[in-house]
PDB file of all heavy atoms in Angstrom:
ATOM      1  N   ARG A  12     -14.011   3.925   7.201  1.00  0.00           N
ATOM      2  CA  ARG A  12     -13.054   4.434   6.344  1.00  0.00           C
ATOM      3  C   ARG A  12     -11.988   5.353   7.171  1.00  0.00           C
ATOM      4  O   ARG A  12     -11.328   6.152   6.651  1.00  0.00           O
ATOM      5  CB  ARG A  12     -13.660   5.349   5.322  1.00  0.00           C
ATOM      6  CG  ARG A  12     -14.355   4.473   4.270  1.00  0.00           C
ATOM      7  CD  ARG A  12     -14.591   5.342   2.985  1.00  0.00           C
ATOM      8  NE  ARG A  12     -15.942   4.914   2.678  1.00  0.00           N
ATOM      9  CZ  ARG A  12     -16.897   5.770   2.306  1.00  0.00           C
ATOM     10  NH1 ARG A  12     -16.689   7.110   2.339  1.00  0.00           N
ATOM     11  NH2 ARG A  12     -18.138   5.389   1.847  1.00  0.00           N
ATOM     12  N   ASN A  13     -12.036   5.078   8.447  1.00  0.00           N
ATOM     13  CA  ASN A  13     -11.084   5.973   9.272  1.00  0.00           C
ATOM     14  C   ASN A  13      -9.626   5.441   9.474  1.00  0.00           C
ATOM     15  O   ASN A  13      -8.783   6.075   9.988  1.00  0.00           O
ATOM     16  CB  ASN A  13     -11.771   6.003  10.687  1.00  0.00           C
ATOM     17  CG  ASN A  13     -13.136   6.751  10.617  1.00  0.00           C
ATOM     18  OD1 ASN A  13     -13.240   7.483   9.728  1.00  0.00           O
ATOM     19  ND2 ASN A  13     -13.906   6.432  11.472  1.00  0.00           N
ATOM     20  N   ASN A  14      -9.414   4.310   8.930  1.00  0.00           N
ATOM     21  CA  ASN A  14      -7.888   3.882   9.002  1.00  0.00           C
ATOM     22  C   ASN A  14      -7.332   3.732   7.513  1.00  0.00           C
ATOM     23  O   ASN A  14      -8.058   3.710   6.540  1.00  0.00           O
ATOM     24  CB  ASN A  14      -7.744   2.542   9.721  1.00  0.00           C
ATOM     25  CG  ASN A  14      -8.428   1.400   9.048  1.00  0.00           C
ATOM     26  OD1 ASN A  14      -8.156   1.171   7.866  1.00  0.00           O
ATOM     27  ND2 ASN A  14      -9.144   0.570   9.762  1.00  0.00           N
ATOM     28  N   PRO A  15      -6.012   3.894   7.432  1.00  0.00           N
ATOM     29  CA  PRO A  15      -5.386   4.041   6.038  1.00  0.00           C
ATOM     30  C   PRO A  15      -5.674   2.881   5.117  1.00  0.00           C
ATOM     31  O   PRO A  15      -5.844   3.143   3.873  1.00  0.00           O
ATOM     32  CB  PRO A  15      -3.942   4.140   6.376  1.00  0.00           C
ATOM     33  CG  PRO A  15      -3.839   4.759   7.771  1.00  0.00           C
ATOM     34  CD  PRO A  15      -5.101   4.179   8.454  1.00  0.00           C
ATOM     35  N   LYS A  16      -5.796   1.741   5.631  1.00  0.00           N
ATOM     36  CA  LYS A  16      -5.991   0.626   4.783  1.00  0.00           C
ATOM     37  C   LYS A  16      -7.406   0.680   4.096  1.00  0.00           C
ATOM     38  O   LYS A  16      -7.653   0.381   2.959  1.00  0.00           O
ATOM     39  CB  LYS A  16      -5.820  -0.748   5.572  1.00  0.00           C
ATOM     40  CG  LYS A  16      -6.065  -1.992   4.750  1.00  0.00           C
ATOM     41  CD  LYS A  16      -5.997  -3.216   5.662  1.00  0.00           C
ATOM     42  CE  LYS A  16      -6.283  -4.488   4.872  1.00  0.00           C
ATOM     43  NZ  LYS A  16      -6.324  -5.618   5.693  1.00  0.00           N
ATOM     44  N   ASN A  17      -8.358   1.011   4.905  1.00  0.00           N
ATOM     45  CA  ASN A  17      -9.818   1.123   4.478  1.00  0.00           C
ATOM     46  C   ASN A  17      -9.832   2.311   3.549  1.00  0.00           C
ATOM     47  O   ASN A  17     -10.678   2.222   2.529  1.00  0.00           O
ATOM     48  CB  ASN A  17     -10.816   1.193   5.532  1.00  0.00           C
ATOM     49  CG  ASN A  17     -10.870  -0.148   6.233  1.00  0.00           C
ATOM     50  OD1 ASN A  17     -10.569  -1.138   5.665  1.00  0.00           O
ATOM     51  ND2 ASN A  17     -11.277  -0.104   7.574  1.00  0.00           N
ATOM     52  N   ILE A  18      -9.203   3.420   3.728  1.00  0.00           N
ATOM     53  CA  ILE A  18      -9.222   4.475   2.892  1.00  0.00           C
ATOM     54  C   ILE A  18      -8.647   4.220   1.573  1.00  0.00           C
ATOM     55  O   ILE A  18      -9.227   4.465   0.371  1.00  0.00           O
ATOM     56  CB  ILE A  18      -8.420   5.699   3.524  1.00  0.00           C
ATOM     57  CG1 ILE A  18      -9.238   6.211   4.741  1.00  0.00           C
ATOM     58  CG2 ILE A  18      -8.252   6.861   2.399  1.00  0.00           C
ATOM     59  CD1 ILE A  18      -8.406   7.338   5.575  1.00  0.00           C
ATOM     60  N   LYS A  19      -7.448   3.372   1.477  1.00  0.00           N
ATOM     61  CA  LYS A  19      -6.850   3.035   0.343  1.00  0.00           C
ATOM     62  C   LYS A  19      -7.840   2.026  -0.505  1.00  0.00           C
ATOM     63  O   LYS A  19      -7.951   2.215  -1.650  1.00  0.00           O
ATOM     64  CB  LYS A  19      -5.623   2.335   0.634  1.00  0.00           C
ATOM     65  CG  LYS A  19      -4.853   2.004  -0.571  1.00  0.00           C
ATOM     66  CD  LYS A  19      -3.509   1.223  -0.383  1.00  0.00           C
ATOM     67  CE  LYS A  19      -2.753   0.843  -1.639  1.00  0.00           C
ATOM     68  NZ  LYS A  19      -3.386   0.650  -2.839  1.00  0.00           N
ATOM     69  N   ALA A  20      -8.385   1.129   0.257  1.00  0.00           N
ATOM     70  CA  ALA A  20      -9.321   0.145  -0.533  1.00  0.00           C
ATOM     71  C   ALA A  20     -10.459   0.858  -1.141  1.00  0.00           C
ATOM     72  O   ALA A  20     -10.904   0.581  -2.284  1.00  0.00           O
ATOM     73  CB  ALA A  20      -9.775  -0.855   0.487  1.00  0.00           C
ATOM     74  N   HIS A  21     -11.048   1.821  -0.377  1.00  0.00           N
ATOM     75  CA  HIS A  21     -12.151   2.657  -0.884  1.00  0.00           C
ATOM     76  C   HIS A  21     -11.785   3.403  -2.110  1.00  0.00           C
ATOM     77  O   HIS A  21     -12.408   3.420  -3.179  1.00  0.00           O
ATOM     78  CB  HIS A  21     -12.731   3.584   0.178  1.00  0.00           C
ATOM     79  CG  HIS A  21     -13.824   4.482  -0.275  1.00  0.00           C
ATOM     80  ND1 HIS A  21     -15.083   4.149  -0.589  1.00  0.00           N
ATOM     81  CD2 HIS A  21     -13.664   5.761  -0.604  1.00  0.00           C
ATOM     82  CE1 HIS A  21     -15.664   5.108  -1.046  1.00  0.00           C
ATOM     83  NE2 HIS A  21     -14.833   6.215  -1.085  1.00  0.00           N
ATOM     84  N   ASN A  22     -10.611   4.133  -1.966  1.00  0.00           N
ATOM     85  CA  ASN A  22     -10.231   4.935  -3.103  1.00  0.00           C
ATOM     86  C   ASN A  22      -9.840   4.129  -4.378  1.00  0.00           C
ATOM     87  O   ASN A  22     -10.101   4.533  -5.467  1.00  0.00           O
ATOM     88  CB  ASN A  22      -9.002   5.748  -2.719  1.00  0.00           C
ATOM     89  CG  ASN A  22      -9.402   6.932  -1.738  1.00  0.00           C
ATOM     90  OD1 ASN A  22     -10.579   7.239  -1.820  1.00  0.00           O
ATOM     91  ND2 ASN A  22      -8.537   7.507  -1.074  1.00  0.00           N
ATOM     92  N   ASP A  23      -9.160   2.955  -4.153  1.00  0.00           N
ATOM     93  CA  ASP A  23      -8.819   2.128  -5.271  1.00  0.00           C
ATOM     94  C   ASP A  23     -10.142   1.704  -5.986  1.00  0.00           C
ATOM     95  O   ASP A  23     -10.132   1.713  -7.302  1.00  0.00           O
ATOM     96  CB  ASP A  23      -8.126   0.812  -4.769  1.00  0.00           C
ATOM     97  CG  ASP A  23      -6.629   1.196  -4.289  1.00  0.00           C
ATOM     98  OD1 ASP A  23      -6.219   2.415  -4.683  1.00  0.00           O
ATOM     99  OD2 ASP A  23      -5.935   0.308  -3.785  1.00  0.00           O
ATOM    100  N   LYS A  24     -11.275   1.300  -5.235  1.00  0.00           N
ATOM    101  CA  LYS A  24     -12.394   0.842  -5.855  1.00  0.00           C
ATOM    102  C   LYS A  24     -13.077   1.960  -6.611  1.00  0.00           C
ATOM    103  O   LYS A  24     -13.488   1.822  -7.716  1.00  0.00           O
ATOM    104  CB  LYS A  24     -13.337   0.359  -4.791  1.00  0.00           C
ATOM    105  CG  LYS A  24     -14.526  -0.258  -5.279  1.00  0.00           C
ATOM    106  CD  LYS A  24     -15.379  -0.839  -4.010  1.00  0.00           C
ATOM    107  CE  LYS A  24     -16.701  -1.517  -4.515  1.00  0.00           C
ATOM    108  NZ  LYS A  24     -17.491  -1.895  -3.438  1.00  0.00           N
ATOM    109  N   LEU A  25     -13.086   3.216  -5.956  1.00  0.00           N
ATOM    110  CA  LEU A  25     -13.580   4.328  -6.627  1.00  0.00           C
ATOM    111  C   LEU A  25     -12.872   4.692  -7.960  1.00  0.00           C
ATOM    112  O   LEU A  25     -13.544   4.914  -9.010  1.00  0.00           O
ATOM    113  CB  LEU A  25     -13.551   5.595  -5.631  1.00  0.00           C
ATOM    114  CG  LEU A  25     -14.058   6.842  -6.139  1.00  0.00           C
ATOM    115  CD1 LEU A  25     -15.549   6.828  -6.356  1.00  0.00           C
ATOM    116  CD2 LEU A  25     -13.700   7.897  -5.112  1.00  0.00           C
ATOM    117  N   HIS A  26     -11.503   4.716  -7.968  1.00  0.00           N
ATOM    118  CA  HIS A  26     -10.800   4.967  -9.006  1.00  0.00           C
ATOM    119  C   HIS A  26     -10.931   4.079 -10.144  1.00  0.00           C
ATOM    120  O   HIS A  26     -10.901   4.390 -11.392  1.00  0.00           O
ATOM    121  CB  HIS A  26      -9.317   5.217  -8.760  1.00  0.00           C
ATOM    122  CG  HIS A  26      -9.118   6.389  -7.760  1.00  0.00           C
ATOM    123  ND1 HIS A  26      -8.046   6.562  -6.846  1.00  0.00           N
ATOM    124  CD2 HIS A  26      -9.716   7.515  -7.645  1.00  0.00           C
ATOM    125  CE1 HIS A  26      -8.173   7.525  -6.214  1.00  0.00           C
ATOM    126  NE2 HIS A  26      -9.087   8.277  -6.650  1.00  0.00           N
ATOM    127  N   LYS A  27     -11.031   2.790  -9.770  1.00  0.00           N
ATOM    128  CA  LYS A  27     -11.207   1.735 -10.788  1.00  0.00           C
ATOM    129  C   LYS A  27     -12.575   1.885 -11.565  1.00  0.00           C
ATOM    130  O   LYS A  27     -12.705   1.865 -12.791  1.00  0.00           O
ATOM    131  CB  LYS A  27     -11.358   0.427 -10.089  1.00  0.00           C
ATOM    132  CG  LYS A  27     -11.403  -0.829 -11.032  1.00  0.00           C
ATOM    133  CD  LYS A  27     -11.269  -2.091 -10.336  1.00  0.00           C
ATOM    134  CE  LYS A  27     -11.358  -3.277 -11.220  1.00  0.00           C
ATOM    135  NZ  LYS A  27     -11.285  -4.536 -10.443  1.00  0.00           N
ATOM    136  N   GLU A  28     -13.613   2.338 -10.743  1.00  0.00           N
ATOM    137  CA  GLU A  28     -14.957   2.630 -11.378  1.00  0.00           C
ATOM    138  C   GLU A  28     -14.969   3.854 -12.265  1.00  0.00           C
ATOM    139  O   GLU A  28     -15.536   3.820 -13.353  1.00  0.00           O
ATOM    140  CB  GLU A  28     -16.013   2.786 -10.270  1.00  0.00           C
ATOM    141  CG  GLU A  28     -16.460   1.544  -9.605  1.00  0.00           C
ATOM    142  CD  GLU A  28     -16.953   0.441 -10.553  1.00  0.00           C
ATOM    143  OE1 GLU A  28     -17.813   0.785 -11.415  1.00  0.00           O
ATOM    144  OE2 GLU A  28     -16.608  -0.709 -10.434  1.00  0.00           O
ATOM    145  N   GLN A  29     -14.233   4.875 -11.809  1.00  0.00           N
ATOM    146  CA  GLN A  29     -14.060   6.056 -12.652  1.00  0.00           C
ATOM    147  C   GLN A  29     -13.360   5.786 -13.992  1.00  0.00           C
ATOM    148  O   GLN A  29     -13.684   6.410 -14.938  1.00  0.00           O
ATOM    149  CB  GLN A  29     -13.300   7.164 -11.812  1.00  0.00           C
ATOM    150  CG  GLN A  29     -14.141   7.748 -10.779  1.00  0.00           C
ATOM    151  CD  GLN A  29     -13.396   8.632  -9.893  1.00  0.00           C
ATOM    152  OE1 GLN A  29     -12.184   8.739  -9.811  1.00  0.00           O
ATOM    153  NE2 GLN A  29     -14.097   9.528  -9.104  1.00  0.00           N
ATOM    154  N   ALA A  30     -12.327   4.949 -13.920  1.00  0.00           N
ATOM    155  CA  ALA A  30     -11.546   4.626 -14.968  1.00  0.00           C
ATOM    156  C   ALA A  30     -12.378   3.807 -16.063  1.00  0.00           C
ATOM    157  O   ALA A  30     -12.341   4.045 -17.277  1.00  0.00           O
ATOM    158  CB  ALA A  30     -10.398   3.744 -14.720  1.00  0.00           C
ATOM    159  N   LYS A  31     -13.223   2.886 -15.474  1.00  0.00           N
ATOM    160  CA  LYS A  31     -14.125   2.148 -16.328  1.00  0.00           C
ATOM    161  C   LYS A  31     -15.081   3.102 -17.024  1.00  0.00           C
ATOM    162  O   LYS A  31     -15.314   2.917 -18.270  1.00  0.00           O
ATOM    163  CB  LYS A  31     -15.053   1.286 -15.488  1.00  0.00           C
ATOM    164  CG  LYS A  31     -14.390  -0.108 -15.405  1.00  0.00           C
ATOM    165  CD  LYS A  31     -15.319  -0.988 -14.394  1.00  0.00           C
ATOM    166  CE  LYS A  31     -15.662  -2.367 -14.798  1.00  0.00           C
ATOM    167  NZ  LYS A  31     -16.333  -3.050 -13.815  1.00  0.00           N
ATOM    168  N   ALA A  32     -15.640   4.094 -16.298  1.00  0.00           N
ATOM    169  CA  ALA A  32     -16.677   4.957 -16.914  1.00  0.00           C
ATOM    170  C   ALA A  32     -15.901   5.855 -18.009  1.00  0.00           C
ATOM    171  O   ALA A  32     -16.500   6.070 -19.056  1.00  0.00           O
ATOM    172  CB  ALA A  32     -17.192   5.911 -15.842  1.00  0.00           C
ATOM    173  N   LYS A  33     -14.639   6.243 -17.745  1.00  0.00           N
ATOM    174  CA  LYS A  33     -13.987   7.030 -18.687  1.00  0.00           C
ATOM    175  C   LYS A  33     -13.637   6.271 -20.041  1.00  0.00           C
ATOM    176  O   LYS A  33     -13.801   6.727 -21.086  1.00  0.00           O
ATOM    177  CB  LYS A  33     -12.539   7.512 -18.117  1.00  0.00           C
ATOM    178  CG  LYS A  33     -11.870   8.587 -18.909  1.00  0.00           C
ATOM    179  CD  LYS A  33     -10.664   9.101 -18.132  1.00  0.00           C
ATOM    180  CE  LYS A  33      -9.853  10.023 -19.013  1.00  0.00           C
ATOM    181  NZ  LYS A  33      -8.746  10.579 -18.412  1.00  0.00           N
ATOM    182  N   ALA A  34     -13.185   4.900 -19.905  1.00  0.00           N
ATOM    183  CA  ALA A  34     -12.938   4.121 -20.944  1.00  0.00           C
ATOM    184  C   ALA A  34     -14.113   3.846 -21.868  1.00  0.00           C
ATOM    185  O   ALA A  34     -14.078   3.911 -23.109  1.00  0.00           O
ATOM    186  CB  ALA A  34     -12.350   2.825 -20.561  1.00  0.00           C
ATOM    187  N   LYS A  35     -15.311   3.756 -21.090  1.00  0.00           N
ATOM    188  CA  LYS A  35     -16.633   3.486 -21.882  1.00  0.00           C
ATOM    189  C   LYS A  35     -17.025   4.791 -22.605  1.00  0.00           C
ATOM    190  O   LYS A  35     -17.499   4.621 -23.868  1.00  0.00           O
ATOM    191  CB  LYS A  35     -17.744   3.238 -20.697  1.00  0.00           C
ATOM    192  CG  LYS A  35     -18.805   2.379 -21.253  1.00  0.00           C
ATOM    193  CD  LYS A  35     -19.657   2.069 -19.980  1.00  0.00           C
ATOM    194  CE  LYS A  35     -20.651   0.941 -20.340  1.00  0.00           C
ATOM    195  NZ  LYS A  35     -21.590   0.601 -19.226  1.00  0.00           N
ATOM    196  N   LYS A  36     -16.778   5.914 -21.972  1.00  0.00           N
ATOM    197  CA  LYS A  36     -17.051   7.291 -22.696  1.00  0.00           C
ATOM    198  C   LYS A  36     -16.221   7.339 -23.995  1.00  0.00           C
ATOM    199  O   LYS A  36     -16.677   7.806 -25.023  1.00  0.00           O
ATOM    200  CB  LYS A  36     -16.874   8.371 -21.769  1.00  0.00           C
ATOM    201  CG  LYS A  36     -17.135   9.673 -22.328  1.00  0.00           C
ATOM    202  CD  LYS A  36     -16.893  10.775 -21.159  1.00  0.00           C
ATOM    203  CE  LYS A  36     -16.969  12.162 -21.890  1.00  0.00           C
ATOM    204  NZ  LYS A  36     -16.577  13.202 -21.001  1.00  0.00           N
ATOM    205  N   ASN A  37     -14.934   7.043 -23.835  1.00  0.00           N
ATOM    206  CA  ASN A  37     -13.963   7.135 -24.931  1.00  0.00           C
ATOM    207  C   ASN A  37     -14.251   6.207 -26.016  1.00  0.00           C
ATOM    208  O   ASN A  37     -14.136   6.625 -27.212  1.00  0.00           O
ATOM    209  CB  ASN A  37     -12.514   6.923 -24.511  1.00  0.00           C
ATOM    210  CG  ASN A  37     -11.989   8.108 -23.643  1.00  0.00           C
ATOM    211  OD1 ASN A  37     -12.525   9.210 -23.634  1.00  0.00           O
ATOM    212  ND2 ASN A  37     -10.942   7.814 -22.852  1.00  0.00           N
ATOM    213  N   ALA A  38     -14.701   4.919 -25.731  1.00  0.00           N
ATOM    214  CA  ALA A  38     -15.075   4.021 -26.726  1.00  0.00           C
ATOM    215  C   ALA A  38     -16.339   4.402 -27.468  1.00  0.00           C
ATOM    216  O   ALA A  38     -16.361   4.292 -28.767  1.00  0.00           O
ATOM    217  CB  ALA A  38     -15.410   2.637 -26.015  1.00  0.00           C
ATOM    218  N   ARG A  39     -17.305   5.112 -26.803  1.00  0.00           N
ATOM    219  CA  ARG A  39     -18.400   5.665 -27.494  1.00  0.00           C
ATOM    220  C   ARG A  39     -18.063   6.702 -28.428  1.00  0.00           C
ATOM    221  O   ARG A  39     -18.560   6.737 -29.528  1.00  0.00           O
ATOM    222  CB  ARG A  39     -19.513   6.177 -26.456  1.00  0.00           C
ATOM    223  CG  ARG A  39     -20.418   5.126 -25.912  1.00  0.00           C
ATOM    224  CD  ARG A  39     -21.588   5.753 -25.138  1.00  0.00           C
ATOM    225  NE  ARG A  39     -21.837   5.106 -23.999  1.00  0.00           N
ATOM    226  CZ  ARG A  39     -21.514   5.503 -22.816  1.00  0.00           C
ATOM    227  NH1 ARG A  39     -21.032   6.714 -22.718  1.00  0.00           N
ATOM    228  NH2 ARG A  39     -21.703   4.734 -21.681  1.00  0.00           N
ATOM    229  N   ALA A  40     -17.172   7.599 -28.064  1.00  0.00           N
ATOM    230  CA  ALA A  40     -16.640   8.717 -28.807  1.00  0.00           C
ATOM    231  C   ALA A  40     -16.036   8.308 -30.062  1.00  0.00           C
ATOM    232  O   ALA A  40     -16.292   8.732 -31.114  1.00  0.00           O
ATOM    233  CB  ALA A  40     -15.860   9.604 -28.023  1.00  0.00           C
ATOM    234  N   GLU A  41     -15.240   7.199 -29.948  1.00  0.00           N
ATOM    235  CA  GLU A  41     -14.560   6.524 -31.134  1.00  0.00           C
ATOM    236  C   GLU A  41     -15.493   5.943 -32.031  1.00  0.00           C
ATOM    237  O   GLU A  41     -15.434   6.104 -33.224  1.00  0.00           O
ATOM    238  CB  GLU A  41     -13.600   5.484 -30.651  1.00  0.00           C
ATOM    239  CG  GLU A  41     -12.212   5.949 -30.296  1.00  0.00           C
ATOM    240  CD  GLU A  41     -11.542   6.739 -31.306  1.00  0.00           C
ATOM    241  OE1 GLU A  41     -11.524   6.365 -32.515  1.00  0.00           O
ATOM    242  OE2 GLU A  41     -11.029   7.922 -31.036  1.00  0.00           O
ATOM    243  N   LYS A  42     -16.574   5.234 -31.603  1.00  0.00           N
ATOM    244  CA  LYS A  42     -17.506   4.632 -32.382  1.00  0.00           C
ATOM    245  C   LYS A  42     -18.344   5.791 -33.148  1.00  0.00           C
ATOM    246  O   LYS A  42     -18.571   5.651 -34.433  1.00  0.00           O
ATOM    247  CB  LYS A  42     -18.562   3.908 -31.573  1.00  0.00           C
ATOM    248  CG  LYS A  42     -18.003   2.574 -31.213  1.00  0.00           C
ATOM    249  CD  LYS A  42     -18.987   1.763 -30.505  1.00  0.00           C
ATOM    250  CE  LYS A  42     -18.449   0.436 -29.968  1.00  0.00           C
ATOM    251  NZ  LYS A  42     -19.491  -0.376 -29.252  1.00  0.00           N
ATOM    252  N   LEU A  43     -18.658   6.876 -32.518  1.00  0.00           N
ATOM    253  CA  LEU A  43     -19.320   8.000 -33.076  1.00  0.00           C
ATOM    254  C   LEU A  43     -18.393   8.624 -34.166  1.00  0.00           C
ATOM    255  O   LEU A  43     -19.034   8.860 -35.311  1.00  0.00           O
ATOM    256  CB  LEU A  43     -19.669   9.047 -32.021  1.00  0.00           C
ATOM    257  CG  LEU A  43     -20.484  10.214 -32.506  1.00  0.00           C
ATOM    258  CD1 LEU A  43     -21.748   9.895 -33.089  1.00  0.00           C
ATOM    259  CD2 LEU A  43     -20.658  11.243 -31.385  1.00  0.00           C
ATOM    260  N   LYS A  44     -17.175   8.764 -33.866  1.00  0.00           N
ATOM    261  CA  LYS A  44     -16.319   9.293 -35.095  1.00  0.00           C
ATOM    262  C   LYS A  44     -16.245   8.468 -36.207  1.00  0.00           C
ATOM    263  O   LYS A  44     -16.300   8.961 -37.356  1.00  0.00           O
ATOM    264  CB  LYS A  44     -14.962   9.521 -34.452  1.00  0.00           C
ATOM    265  CG  LYS A  44     -14.800  10.682 -33.519  1.00  0.00           C
ATOM    266  CD  LYS A  44     -13.245  10.668 -32.998  1.00  0.00           C
ATOM    267  CE  LYS A  44     -13.005  11.767 -31.923  1.00  0.00           C
ATOM    268  NZ  LYS A  44     -11.681  11.741 -31.397  1.00  0.00           N
ATOM    269  N   GLU A  45     -16.255   7.114 -35.941  1.00  0.00           N
ATOM    270  CA  GLU A  45     -16.151   6.113 -37.102  1.00  0.00           C
ATOM    271  C   GLU A  45     -17.467   6.239 -37.965  1.00  0.00           C
ATOM    272  O   GLU A  45     -17.454   6.338 -39.117  1.00  0.00           O
ATOM    273  CB  GLU A  45     -15.948   4.790 -36.516  1.00  0.00           C
ATOM    274  CG  GLU A  45     -15.695   3.667 -37.570  1.00  0.00           C
ATOM    275  CD  GLU A  45     -14.528   3.975 -38.466  1.00  0.00           C
ATOM    276  OE1 GLU A  45     -13.485   4.439 -37.961  1.00  0.00           O
ATOM    277  OE2 GLU A  45     -14.580   3.664 -39.700  1.00  0.00           O
ATOM    278  N   ILE A  46     -18.573   6.323 -37.208  1.00  0.00           N
ATOM    279  CA  ILE A  46     -19.794   6.490 -37.942  1.00  0.00           C
ATOM    280  C   ILE A  46     -19.874   7.702 -38.758  1.00  0.00           C
ATOM    281  O   ILE A  46     -20.337   7.751 -39.924  1.00  0.00           O
ATOM    282  CB  ILE A  46     -21.041   6.356 -36.902  1.00  0.00           C
ATOM    283  CG1 ILE A  46     -21.104   5.023 -36.298  1.00  0.00           C
ATOM    284  CG2 ILE A  46     -22.356   6.844 -37.584  1.00  0.00           C
ATOM    285  CD1 ILE A  46     -21.997   4.872 -35.165  1.00  0.00           C
ATOM    286  N   GLN A  47     -19.408   8.829 -38.170  1.00  0.00           N
ATOM    287  CA  GLN A  47     -19.410  10.145 -38.833  1.00  0.00           C
ATOM    288  C   GLN A  47     -18.466  10.002 -40.037  1.00  0.00           C
ATOM    289  O   GLN A  47     -18.852  10.578 -41.208  1.00  0.00           O
ATOM    290  CB  GLN A  47     -18.924  11.206 -37.984  1.00  0.00           C
ATOM    291  CG  GLN A  47     -19.927  11.566 -36.878  1.00  0.00           C
ATOM    292  CD  GLN A  47     -19.427  12.633 -35.838  1.00  0.00           C
ATOM    293  OE1 GLN A  47     -18.226  12.653 -35.591  1.00  0.00           O
ATOM    294  NE2 GLN A  47     -20.318  13.383 -35.183  1.00  0.00           N
ATOM    295  N   ARG A  48     -17.380   9.430 -39.933  1.00  0.00           N
ATOM    296  CA  ARG A  48     -16.412   9.221 -41.150  1.00  0.00           C
ATOM    297  C   ARG A  48     -17.124   8.503 -42.242  1.00  0.00           C
ATOM    298  O   ARG A  48     -17.086   8.968 -43.360  1.00  0.00           O
ATOM    299  CB  ARG A  48     -15.140   8.452 -40.747  1.00  0.00           C
ATOM    300  CG  ARG A  48     -14.097   9.315 -40.034  1.00  0.00           C
ATOM    301  CD  ARG A  48     -12.801   8.632 -39.898  1.00  0.00           C
ATOM    302  NE  ARG A  48     -12.179   9.074 -38.674  1.00  0.00           N
ATOM    303  CZ  ARG A  48     -12.006   8.226 -37.604  1.00  0.00           C
ATOM    304  NH1 ARG A  48     -12.338   7.052 -37.686  1.00  0.00           N
ATOM    305  NH2 ARG A  48     -11.562   8.785 -36.489  1.00  0.00           N
TER     306      ARG A  48
END
Side-chain angles (χ1 to χ4, degrees):
R12 285 193 222 137
N13 297 334
N14 67 47
K16 182 180 176 187
N17 289 339
I18 291 170
K19 184 183 180 334
H21 171 75
N22 287 341
D23 288 350
K24 187 175 180 183
L25 178 67
H26 296 151
K27 186 176 181 182
E28 288 301 315
Q29 289 173 340
K31 268 178 141 176
K33 187 175 180 181
K35 213 173 189 182
K36 181 181 173 186
N37 289 341
R39 274 195 225 107
E41 275 302 311
K42 284 182 184 180
L43 181 62
K44 283 180 188 176
E45 187 61 34
I46 290 168
Q47 287 174 333
R48 277 190 220 112

